[in-house]
Amino acid sequence: MSSESGIDDISSSLIPPVEKTDDDDDDSEQESEKIVIDEMLTRYCGEFGLWQIKHFVLTCSAWALEAFHTMVMIFADREPSWRCLDSSGSGCLLGSNSQSGSVCDLVPGSWEWIGGSSASTISEWGLLCGDKYKVGLAQSGFFAGCMVGAGIFGHLSDSFLGRKGSLTTVCVLNAIFGCLTALSPTYWFYAVLRFLTGLSTGGVGLCCFVLATEPIGPSARGAVGMSTFYFFSGGIVMLSGIAYLFQSWRSLYIASTMPSIIYLVAFLPFISESPRWYLVRGKVDQAMKVMHNIAKGNGKKIPTGVILALDDECNDKNSNEGYSSRAELMLTASASELIQGPMTRSFQTKDGTKDAAARGSLIDVIKSPVTRIRLLLTIAINLVTCIVYYGLSLNVVNLKTNLYISVLINAVAEMPAFAITAILLDRFGRKPLAIGTMWFSGIFCLIGSMVSNSGAGKVLRMFCGVLGIFGMAGTYNLLFIYTAELFPTVVRNAALGCATQAAQMGAILAPLVVVMGGGLPFAVFAACGIIGGLFAFYLPETLNRPLYDTMAGIEEGEARIVRDSA
């Protein structure tokens, strides 16, 4: 053996040649596998296991807090019963039927409030007769605050505060403003504080909805996300009991605010920040920590080397992969996307490279003949829906029946409406269901407007109100999905923002309708329900139709459908 060959042998044994094979490539990829959150939930963590159930219940309990702060006005701003002091000579002319009449024409001092002047804001500040409009003004101010707060906290939940930080902030503000409201020295202080309470309340449902649904896997996200409405209705049921126990409006505000403090202390420490928010903020380690907690809570384990990445970093993955329905895809929208404008998205060209981002705005929606009419119709439908939904909820004060039982029955009636709508949504389609639920509500409101509010008529009118809110709660439940499917991806958020603002405007108008009293509110609600159903006639059905991405795509697709049907 030559030295040269010996050297070769020695070197070859010490430093064997390294040959890179396809298998080695696969192993290295597995060691540092980057996947999106939905894929990690599906493959390793569990889509809706014990961890998500616990987190969902804890987070969505905040919906009950929103119900407390929203519907407390029904009891705090009610008109209490009253009685004559001396029907023979003090000017109380209504005699034994005084409790069913009006006090506007009576001599001051000839009658008194049953339960004292502290029973409600109306009795304490004399919000009757010429000042009755102030009741509706304060209530409308609350919903105006909700509209502003939804915009503010929707943005903050996507930026530096995060979902949990925003939810914590709104709960703190609700606790502060709720307690201060109970100390209001005058009506105008009360009205301002109700606006501020609305400002914080408007962010509660928005933040907890996103925080509750983002850690849930795609196959369960749609059904679970639509279940959040039950917590709001359940909150109204609990509020009825609280209001029955605390008859004074000031003590009621304190009692309805205490749950916000309890939630801050007993619930929020056990709620996790959204891993999606961590990821988009570049905090991959924190996002992975949450994902490991989810897997551990569900009895699973994430393999070593698997890490999270944004969808842009996983170019080989289809951005819509994993969603079992378009409804679930809609529920992945972040909070601020419902109220903010243009949306930007990158698309793949035919050769596989990324093209310039497709952009859209509200101007594009208005310019297009296809989406322009859809936008106007959805704005109108969302407006009238919220007028009826919130109007019927507040109108129980005009029914002259047991207020606590009426509110409880209305809240319970909403729950089966949510379930039935969710079941029928993919069976009968969006359009027939929207028309049917609005007309169902409108017809019973029309009957209620023609019934006398005395004797057996009171019960019949209350029954009509219950069925009216049943139908409109069903409409309220399906409108988000339906509206989202009517517009392409690049302008979907802008269109949803307009529809959401229109809905909030409806909530602002609802109290002003209620203060009219008598059968007039029912007549307005009937007109809104019937007209809303007529508007829905001119919308297209979206069941089993493509979910378009661009304005050109929806225009071409709709033109093709027209040609095929001709």
Side-chain angles (χ1 to χ4, degrees), residues 15 22 119 191 220 344 532 543:
I15 310 174
D22 293 337
T344 303
L543 179 63

Side-chain angles (χ1 to χ4, degrees), residues 521-542:
F522 266 110
V524 174
F525 302 149
C528 288
I530 294 171
I531 292 173
L534 290 173
F535 285 151
F537 256 112
Y538 295 95
L539 287 174
E541 176 57 67
T542 59

Side-chain angles (χ1 to χ4, degrees), residues 179-191:
C179 291
L180 289 177
T181 301
L183 304 176
S184 300
T186 65
Y187 164 80
W188 292 109
F189 271 94
Y190 174 77

Side-chain angles (χ1 to χ4, degrees), residues 156-178:
L156 292 177
S157 69
D158 277 348
S159 57
F160 68 95
L161 269 185
R163 281 82 160 104
K164 183 178 178 180
S166 296
L167 183 58
T168 303
T169 302
V170 295
C171 287
V172 170
L173 292 177
N174 271 344
I176 295 172
F177 293 142

Side-chain angles (χ1 to χ4, degrees), residues 431-450:
K431 180 176 177 177
L433 206 57
I435 296 171
T437 53
M438 281 189 279
W439 279 3
F440 182 91
S441 177
I443 289 171
F444 279 100
C445 287
L446 182 62
I447 295 173
S449 68
M450 297 185 292

Side-chain angles (χ1 to χ4, degrees), residues 68-274:
F68 291 162
H69 292 287
T70 302
M71 297 304 177
V72 68
M73 66 181 74
I74 297 176
F75 304 100
D77 299 340
R78 76 188 191 281
E79 182 178 338
S81 299
W82 55 275
R83 63 190 169 207
C84 293
L85 291 176
D86 185 359
S87 59
S88 60
S90 299
C92 194
L93 305 177
L94 298 179
S96 60
N97 295 324
S98 60
Q99 293 188 25
S100 63
S102 172
V103 299
C104 293
D105 297 325
L106 301 183
V107 176
S110 66
W111 58 277
E112 67 177 0
W113 296 109
I114 297 176
S117 61
S118 64
S120 77
T121 58
I122 289 179
S123 57
E124 180 157 337
W125 293 315
L127 306 181
L128 291 164
C129 311
D131 287 334
K132 191 175 182 180
Y133 75 94
K134 291 182 179 179
V135 178
L137 184 64
Q139 294 175 352
S140 294
F142 172 84
F143 287 114
C146 288
M147 182 169 64
V148 177
I152 294 174
F153 290 103
H155 172 72
L156 292 177
S157 69
D158 277 348
S159 57
F160 68 95
L161 269 185
R163 281 82 160 104
K164 183 178 178 180
S166 296
L167 183 58
T168 303
T169 302
V170 295
C171 287
V172 170
L173 292 177
N174 271 344
I176 295 172
F177 293 142
C179 291
L180 289 177
T181 301
L183 304 176
S184 300
T186 65
Y187 164 80
W188 292 109
F189 271 94
Y190 174 77
V192 170
L193 285 168
R194 285 302 288 164
F195 172 82
L196 293 175
T197 306
L199 196 72
S200 54
T201 302
V204 172
L206 208 58
C207 297
C208 77
F209 175 83
V210 176
L211 185 57
T213 55
E214 283 191 335
I216 296 174
S219 67
R221 191 179 301 130
V224 175
M226 295 179 75
S227 300
T228 57
F229 294 105
Y230 294 106
F231 289 86
F232 186 85
S233 300
I236 300 175
V237 172
M238 289 187 286
L239 179 64
S240 301
I242 295 173
Y244 182 78
L245 296 174
F246 297 91
Q247 299 285 324
S248 167
W249 75 269
R250 292 183 185 273
S251 62
L252 175 58
Y253 268 105
I254 295 293
S256 62
T257 300
M258 286 299 105
S260 294
I261 299 175
I262 295 172
Y263 187 84
L264 285 167
V265 176
F267 284 56
L268 268 173
F270 302 99
I271 293 175
S272 173
E273 179 57 87
S274 169

